[in-house]
Amino acid sequence: MDAQKISDAVNIPGSPYRGSAQITREQFMFQETRITARLLLEGIPESEVISRIYRSNLFQYPTEKSLKHTARSCLARIHALNDDSLITTIAEGGIVSAKQVCLYAMMKRYSLVRDFMLDVIGTKYQQQDYSFSRRDINIFMLHAQEQDTSAASWADSTVRKICSVLMRILTENGYTDTINATELSPVMICPALEDSIRRSGSVYMLPAFNCLQ
């Protein structure tokens, strides 16, 4: 992993993949992140954002047990963007663009998601290799466990759940037609996201969004 990737990552200190397993609990959380971003754009302080989400159950969960945790996770992803224009895109942009920015936020927040999107998806786009299946995810996870002590300690059930989350993220963002797809679709990057990535000097992230120039 090059120095640029390490400096851009927003992760729990220590092992690169430490904390990544929590995506099995959090999932993609598009609607939740969109609601949180809209509250922030209203100028509501972060502490009040969490309280309002909890008091009014804005995520419409059947129980209130995980509301505060989810709200904090949404805020952490939004913070990882470090770009007000992208927060606006999540809150007010079209569904496709907003979801793509949410995926980028996950890549910034979780090294595992970032490395998967770059090393697997980005590489396939660069090689114009559109073949894809869950086997590609399984191979990536195997390599991750070989290289990282935190990942190596994950139970088989956790690995399977992470693989499922990654597959659903791809489907929700138009990379695959279904969770059982056998090929990638040629996505187009949101202009606001491309502009933000270039301004931040993180152009190495672009291939994950099929932006190869």
Side-chain angles (χ1 to χ4, degrees):
M1 186 182 302
D2 61 40
Q4 182 67 47
K5 288 186 182 181
I6 294 172
S7 64
D8 278 6
V10 182
N11 275 290
I12 300 171
S15 174
Y17 295 154
R18 184 180 176 190
S20 292
Q22 71 188 51
I23 67 172
T24 61
R25 174 182 177 184
E26 296 175 355
Q27 308 286 322
F28 187 49
M29 302 194 310
F30 170 64
Q31 292 297 341
E32 294 91 334
T33 306
R34 193 167 174 93
I35 289 168
T36 304
R38 286 172 173 172
L39 293 174
L40 290 174
L41 284 189
E42 292 177 15
I44 300 172
E46 289 186 13
S47 58
E48 177 59 25
V49 165
I50 295 173
S51 297
R52 185 172 298 191
I53 289 171
Y54 181 77
R55 289 197 309 268
S56 303
N57 190 9
L58 296 182
F59 296 160
Q60 298 183 8
Y61 286 178
T63 67
E64 299 176 344
K65 183 177 179 180
S66 61
L67 279 171
K68 290 184 178 180
H69 172 83
T70 302
R72 292 189 186 98
S73 296
C74 290
L75 285 171
R77 294 184 188 186
I78 290 170
H79 277 308
L81 293 170
N82 194 32
D83 187 325
D84 290 343
S85 69
L86 294 185
I87 299 174
T88 300
T89 299
I90 292 176
E92 301 177 349
I95 296 294
V96 173
S97 297
K99 284 186 175 181
Q100 199 171 79
V101 174
C102 285
L103 170 57
Y104 181 61
M106 289 191 75
M107 291 171 65
K108 296 283 284 183
R109 177 67 178 165
Y110 302 113
S111 294
L112 185 76
V113 178
R114 182 198 63 222
D115 290 352
F116 170 71
M117 291 302 302
L118 291 176
D119 297 343
V120 179
I121 305 304
T123 297
K124 282 184 173 290
Y125 281 139
Q126 289 173 313
Q127 297 175 349
Q128 296 186 336
D129 174 12
Y130 293 94
S131 64
F132 181 79
S133 70
R134 189 175 289 263
R135 181 173 182 272
D136 292 289
I137 304 179
N138 292 336
I139 291 172
F140 168 77
M141 291 299 298
L142 178 62
H143 290 166
Q145 289 189 286
E146 291 174 343
Q147 297 169 10
D148 184 85
T149 54
S150 288
S153 69
W154 292 338
D156 290 344
S157 58
T158 298
V159 174
R160 288 194 296 270
K161 289 177 183 178
I162 291 174
C163 290
S164 294
V165 170
L166 293 175
M167 194 72 214
R168 285 196 295 271
I169 287 172
L170 291 178
T171 302
E172 189 152 359
N173 280 274
Y175 287 84
T176 57
D177 293 333
T178 70
I179 60 174
N180 297 313
T182 58
E183 62 180 28
L184 292 175
S185 300
V187 301
M188 293 184 62
I189 192 169
C190 160
L193 178 56
E194 180 180 358
D195 180 65
S196 176
I197 290 175
R198 292 190 184 280
R199 282 190 285 105
S200 69
S202 301
V203 292
Y204 70 89
M205 299 277 251
L206 291 173
F209 302 96
N210 196 27
C211 184
L212 308 177
Q213 299 179 352

